[in-house]
Amino acid sequence: MALLAIITKRESHKLSLVVCPTSVIDHWLDKMAQYIPNTKVICYHGLKRRQESLKFPKSHIVIVTSYGILLRDIQFL
């Protein structure tokens, strides 16, 4: 998370991807909201994940997804 904080400050128009087990996605989202609150974080998970991805802002964002979703949507991501 410290690395993400540094990257988001230096690279304002980039994209970061966090891939983790489904069981800890909410934990990652909570901790990022706590430690890097000025960073836009998108949870790419669930049935509406592709629709939500079309709403990416023009600033640095962090996408959090699971291993299973990454395998299914690797071409899209």
Side-chain angles (χ1 to χ4, degrees), residues 17 19 44 49-50 65-77:
L17 179 65
V19 183
Y44 186 79
R49 62 186 178 267
R50 288 194 182 189
T65 192
S66 67
Y67 297 111
I69 296 297
L70 179 65
L71 288 173
R72 284 185 208 107
D73 294 355
I74 195 158
Q75 294 297 331
F76 181 76
L77 289 169

Side-chain angles (χ1 to χ4, degrees), residues 6-77:
I6 292 168
I7 290 170
T8 58
K9 286 182 183 178
R10 290 186 180 171
E11 305 289 336
S12 61
H13 299 292
K14 299 281 183 167
L15 179 76
S16 297
L17 179 65
V18 173
V19 183
C20 59
T22 302
S23 61
V24 297
I25 287 177
D26 289 333
H27 180 74
W28 267 93
L29 297 172
D30 291 342
K31 292 300 178 183
M32 282 193 275
Q34 181 180 359
Y35 293 113
I36 50 174
N38 296 329
T39 302
K40 176 68 177 169
V41 179
I42 296 174
C43 179
Y44 186 79
H45 198 264
L47 298 175
K48 296 182 181 181
R49 62 186 178 267
R50 288 194 182 189
Q51 295 168 357
E52 292 297 319
S53 65
L54 300 176
K55 300 176 185 176
F56 288 156
K58 301 288 185 201
S59 60
H60 190 105
I61 59 172
V62 178
I63 299 174
V64 180
T65 192
S66 67
Y67 297 111
I69 296 297
L70 179 65
L71 288 173
R72 284 185 208 107
D73 294 355
I74 195 158
Q75 294 297 331
F76 181 76
L77 289 169

